[in-house]
């Protein structure tokens, strides 16, 4: 195994927290969560999601931070140095999962950039449901335009990764993330006063357990892992740039709480709007992109506000994309003796080659299918519903059973006094997460 020459470190505790939150909070919260909650029965899905994210999700997140910090290596190196060569396959699967996620994440990242531009040009005005739906479908079904924006999004991501984790990633989120949050909360409050909106709130929060299905369960697990950026090594990689003093349980809890809060606010913005404007709950991946412009057209200063919003959303997506790309880049960088810059470029090219067909699957390649799924559905489903759960399963077994004392001590460093928390966490990693993930995966696959 090649030993990396020099590794960077976060410049401050705040820097690490910003980067980890920046990774967690992204399209997963604002685009994917409302869409999946809408499609999977509202309250029942939310309820399942909350349980999964605060048990399995949080535990896996803590384990990833600890494994990263203990090893000071990229994802493959982490499994090898703390475990053994036998475990490196988990690292390789993680790198692949990251590439697969990037292949569709950048498509949607491109949509946000394009919508920022359109909003600025005044092309999204009008709250007619049908018009906004047509704008979205026409745009995503065309070939050149979405690919152009997707490429721009990839270039921006590669650029930030090339500049290195501390100067590149840390700086971005500092001012922009709080602004996005304030905007989201403000908009959600406004939406709640629209006639009909309350139906959406009820739909989101009132569970109806007759709607419970095994496939909903695996979707909720997939979303919990995706939203926390765990199961594919992003948080291992970010943890590996940590110095020793961070309180890992506290950091993991803070990231999970913030991530959940943003998802809830985004849900409270988009689902009530669906009811108020008469959209359909199964709007699929387009849901956010038709409801958000509809919300803005009712507001004073819509032009400025919607442009700013989509730009901030693009930046939130960017800080997540950076963390996905970083997994592969850190690995390439430590393997081959090429610079971080060249590694980032190389991974960027791979992601482009994988991603363009995914964008085209909304248009000319929509008939290219495998097992009835188009390329977008395949990339999203395979990475989220199979590879992330498998990654999380392997990690829980690895940490809970194979290297437990080493990782437990790692977490206790910097969090003296959390012995009880650590015991609960160990229990979840050993006895709860592995069987639960297996059951959910199997139930999802056979349903
Ligand atoms: N958590 C990110 C989001 O919610 C997406 C992501 C998935 C990032 C996996 C890293 C790893 O948008």
């Amino acid at each position: 195994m090649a030993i990396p020459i020099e590794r960077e470190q976060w410049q401050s505790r705040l820097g690490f927290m910003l980067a980890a939150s920046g990774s967690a909070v992204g399209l997963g919260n604002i685009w994917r969560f409302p869409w999946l909650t809408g499609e999977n029965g509202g309250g029942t899905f939310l309820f399942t999601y909350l349980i999964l994210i605060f048990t399995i999700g949080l535990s896996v997140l803590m384990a990833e931070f600890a494994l990263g910090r203990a090893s000071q290596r990229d994802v493959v190196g982490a499994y090898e140095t703390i475990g053994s060569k036998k475990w490196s396959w988990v690292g390789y699967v993680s790198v692949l999962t990251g590439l697969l996620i990037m292949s569709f994440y950048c498509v949607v990242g491109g949509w946000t950039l394009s919508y920022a531009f359109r909003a600025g040009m005044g092309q999204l005005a009008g709250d007619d449901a049908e018009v906004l739906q047509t704008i979205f479908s026409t745009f995503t079904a065309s070939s050149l335009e979405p690919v152009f924006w997707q490429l721009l999004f990839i270039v921006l991501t590669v650029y930030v990764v090339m500049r290195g984790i501390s100067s590149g990633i840390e700086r971005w989120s500092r001012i922009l993330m709080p602004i996005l949050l304030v905007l989201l909360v403000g908009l959600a409050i406004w939406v709640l006063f629209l006639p009909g909106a309350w139906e959406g709130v009820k739909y989101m929060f009132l569970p109806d357990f007759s709607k419970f299905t095994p496939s909903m369960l695996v979707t909720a697990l997939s979303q919990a892992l995706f939203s926390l950026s765990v199961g594919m090594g992003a948080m291992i990689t970010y943890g590996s740039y940590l110095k020793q003093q961070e309180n890992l349980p506290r950091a993991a809890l803070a990231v999970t709480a913030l991530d959940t809060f943003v998802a809830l606010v985004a849900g409270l913005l988009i689902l009530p709007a669906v009811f108020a404007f008469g959209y359909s709950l199964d709007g699929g991946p387009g849901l956010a992109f038709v409801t958000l412009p509809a919300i803005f057209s009712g507001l004073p200063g819509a032009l400025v506000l919607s442009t700013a919003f989509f730009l901030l959303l693009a930046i939130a997506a960017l800080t997540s994309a950076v963390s996905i790309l970083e997994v592969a880049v850190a690995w390439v960088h430590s393997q081959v003796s090429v610079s971080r810059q060249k590694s980032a470029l190389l991974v960027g090219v791979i992601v482009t080659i994988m991603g363009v067909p995914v964008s085209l699957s909304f248009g000319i390649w929509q008939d290219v299918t495998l097992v009835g799924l188009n390329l977008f559905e395949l990339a999203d489903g395979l990475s989220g519903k199979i590879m992330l759960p498998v990654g999380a399963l392997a990690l829980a077994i690895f940490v809970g059973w194979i290297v437990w004392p080493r990782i437990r001590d790692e977490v206790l460093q910097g969090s003296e006094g959390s012995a009880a928390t650590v015991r609960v966490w160990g229990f979840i990693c050993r006895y709860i997460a592995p069987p639960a993930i297996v059951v959910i995966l199997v139930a999802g696959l056979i349903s």
Side-chain angles (χ1 to χ4, degrees):
M1 189 190 67
I3 303 291
I5 326 102
E6 31 61 67
R7 294 190 101 246
E8 288 182 78
Q9 301 248 284
W10 301 113
Q11 297 305 307
S12 63
R13 276 192 57 191
L14 181 68
F16 164 68
M17 285 306 290
L18 282 172
S21 321
S23 167
V25 175
L27 295 171
N29 308 63
I30 296 160
W31 160 73
R32 207 168 184 262
F33 174 79
W35 146 38
L36 295 179
T37 309
E39 213 167 67
N40 285 278
T44 323
F45 180 83
L46 178 64
F47 187 76
T48 318
Y49 173 78
L50 289 178
I51 293 180
L52 290 174
I53 202 165
F54 278 98
T55 51
I56 298 178
L58 177 58
S59 303
V60 172
L61 178 59
M62 210 150 109
E64 289 212 0
F65 283 161
L67 183 56
R69 190 176 70 181
S71 66
Q72 299 283 305
R73 291 283 184 278
D74 62 279
V75 62
V76 177
Y79 279 99
E80 281 180 359
T81 33
I82 301 299
S84 62
K85 265 253 178 297
K86 232 174 45 204
W87 281 90
S88 52
W89 69 269
V90 188
Y92 293 121
V93 171
S94 301
V95 172
L96 275 181
T97 311
L99 295 176
L100 200 59
I101 293 178
M102 273 305 262
S103 74
F104 69 88
Y105 206 85
C106 295
V107 173
V108 185
W111 295 353
T112 60
L113 284 176
S114 152
Y115 265 60
F117 179 75
R118 278 162 187 265
M121 303 296 285
Q123 289 173 3
L124 293 178
D127 56 5
D128 186 318
E130 226 160 282
V131 173
L132 289 170
Q133 188 70 59
T134 314
I135 291 180
F136 176 77
S137 334
T138 319
F139 163 63
T140 51
S142 60
S143 301
L144 285 183
E145 222 193 321
V147 169
F148 166 79
W149 292 105
Q150 176 190 11
L151 292 182
L152 182 60
F153 188 83
I154 295 177
V155 167
L156 289 172
T157 311
V158 169
Y159 174 74
V160 178
V161 173
M162 274 169 76
R163 300 206 29 211
I165 46 146
S166 50
S167 49
I169 303 168
E170 275 188 53
R171 207 180 295 160
W172 279 91
S173 343
R174 232 163 248 230
I175 323 160
L176 297 170
M177 284 304 117
I179 302 181
L180 177 66
L181 218 65
V182 170
L183 251 179
L184 270 177
V185 173
L187 288 171
I189 294 175
W190 184 79
V191 165
L192 290 179
F193 284 101
L194 293 177
W198 204 242
E199 284 309 307
V201 180
K202 284 204 275 192
Y203 180 78
M204 184 168 154
F205 283 102
L206 292 183
D208 167 3
F209 289 103
S210 65
K211 288 195 187 131
F212 191 88
T213 62
S215 80
M216 188 213 85
L217 198 59
V218 75
T219 307
L221 177 66
S222 145
Q223 176 60 16
L225 301 174
F226 184 89
S227 196
L228 283 183
S229 312
V230 295
M232 47 70 76
M235 294 303 199
I236 297 179
T237 310
Y238 272 14
S240 78
Y241 302 131
L242 264 178
K243 299 185 196 115
Q244 294 307 312
Q245 69 270 45
E246 187 68 41
N247 182 326
L248 295 181
R250 203 192 299 150
L253 186 63
V255 170
T256 309
L258 176 72
D259 186 69
T260 308
F261 176 73
V262 178
L264 288 178
V265 176
L268 273 177
L269 171 63
I270 288 170
L271 294 178
V274 168
F275 284 83
F277 296 115
Y279 287 105
S280 152
L281 277 170
D282 44 17
L287 190 67
F289 290 89
V290 289
T291 48
L292 287 171
I295 294 168
F296 287 117
S297 26
L299 283 166
L303 195 90
V304 177
L305 211 57
S306 55
T307 313
F309 180 87
F310 280 112
L311 265 183
L312 288 167
L313 183 56
I315 291 165
L318 190 65
T319 56
S320 299
V322 160
S323 74
I324 309 175
L325 199 75
E326 180 68 23
V327 173
V329 171
W331 174 65
V332 172
H333 183 44
S334 78
Q335 284 305 301
V336 204
S337 40
V338 291
S339 62
R340 153 177 282 279
Q341 280 77 4
K342 290 215 180 90
S343 315
L345 276 179
L346 174 71
V347 178
V349 169
I350 296 174
V351 160
T352 307
I353 295 171
M354 290 173 70
V356 170
V358 174
S359 178
L360 297 179
S361 74
F362 286 90
I364 51 167
W365 283 10
Q366 61 184 344
D367 295 328
V368 180
T369 56
L370 197 73
V371 292
L373 302 173
N374 68 25
L375 293 178
F376 170 82
E377 292 161 337
L378 269 178
D380 175 68
L382 185 64
S383 60
K385 288 186 187 160
I386 298 177
M387 293 168 86
L388 288 183
V390 167
L393 173 65
L395 180 79
I397 295 175
F398 182 71
V399 165
W401 292 98
I402 312 290
V403 295
W404 173 246
R406 171 79 178 85
I407 295 298
R408 179 200 53 207
D409 294 347
E410 182 67 35
V411 167
L412 284 171
Q413 250 180 68
S415 71
E416 292 78 8
S418 336
T421 314
V422 170
R423 261 200 300 279
V424 175
W425 169 57
F427 185 81
I428 297 180
C429 287
R430 278 167 174 245
Y431 301 108
I432 308 278
I437 297 175
V438 169
V439 169
I440 295 174
L441 261 178
V442 172
L445 285 180
I446 59 178
S447 68

